[in-house]
Amino acid sequence: MAKRGLKPRCQPAIVNLLALGPLTVAQIQDQVFCAQRTAYMVVRQLHIERLVHVFEYRQGPVGVPVAVWALGDGLDAEYPTFRTNAERQRDYRKRMSADDRDFLKARRRQRSRTIKIDPLTAAFFGVKK
């Protein structure tokens, strides 16, 4: 398979970087100064060639598991169990403080509130629905 548009400097730099220790694709991208897509394509190609493996999965910024890649032929770490959005929301609300819960309730009440308008003002400007 031909390498499409990959810069020849990226693959050796990524291999040298992974030799120092396990990293995520975002960390590789920051240190090699390449696009995240380029870093991912290189790592994926190295994974197909069995030169790197998934060392572990870390919690990403959005709550999605992120693969941590390590150099060497090893077994890939097991992907964490899938959690539905409802489960994540339930856990998030359990961790909320009482003030945060009150703020959330107040916001819901405010959204469902209907604004009462003076009849004279409604006669002049009309009623918005």
Side-chain angles (χ1 to χ4, degrees), residues 1-65:
M1 180 170 144
K3 295 182 181 181
R4 293 177 278 154
L6 294 179
K7 297 178 179 73
R9 69 172 181 83
C10 290
Q11 187 168 352
I14 290 173
V15 170
N16 290 337
L17 195 60
L18 286 173
L20 301 176
L23 296 169
T24 64
V25 172
Q27 293 169 334
I28 292 170
Q29 167 215 343
D30 290 340
Q31 295 183 16
V32 175
F33 302 110
C34 65
Q36 188 167 359
R37 178 174 164 79
T38 302
Y40 178 74
M41 287 174 59
V42 170
V43 169
R44 190 181 71 196
Q45 185 61 37
L46 291 171
H47 186 251
I48 290 170
E49 296 170 3
R50 307 291 295 158
L51 296 174
V52 297
H53 67 279
V54 179
F55 180 70
E56 67 177 348
Y57 285 95
R58 290 185 190 155
Q59 196 67 18
V62 189
V64 179

Side-chain angles (χ1 to χ4, degrees), residues 26-119:
Q27 293 169 334
I28 292 170
Q29 167 215 343
D30 290 340
Q31 295 183 16
V32 175
F33 302 110
C34 65
Q36 188 167 359
R37 178 174 164 79
T38 302
Y40 178 74
M41 287 174 59
V42 170
V43 169
R44 190 181 71 196
Q45 185 61 37
L46 291 171
H47 186 251
I48 290 170
E49 296 170 3
R50 307 291 295 158
L51 296 174
V52 297
H53 67 279
V54 179
F55 180 70
E56 67 177 348
Y57 285 95
R58 290 185 190 155
Q59 196 67 18
V62 189
V64 179
V66 176
V68 179
W69 298 93
L71 194 63
D73 183 24
L75 293 175
D76 288 343
E78 189 174 325
Y79 192 79
T81 58
F82 177 76
R83 296 179 60 211
T84 63
N85 193 24
E87 291 171 340
R88 285 194 300 270
Q89 253 182 358
R90 208 174 303 123
D91 289 345
Y92 174 72
R93 288 187 180 140
K94 281 181 188 174
R95 291 190 310 259
M96 286 175 83
S97 66
D99 289 338
D100 291 336
R101 278 193 292 272
D102 289 342
F103 182 78
L104 194 62
K105 288 178 186 175
R107 186 186 300 169
R108 281 196 202 119
R109 281 193 309 268
Q110 186 65 26
R111 284 187 189 143
S112 65
R113 182 174 165 244
T114 57
I115 299 173
K116 296 183 172 70
I117 190 165
D118 180 47

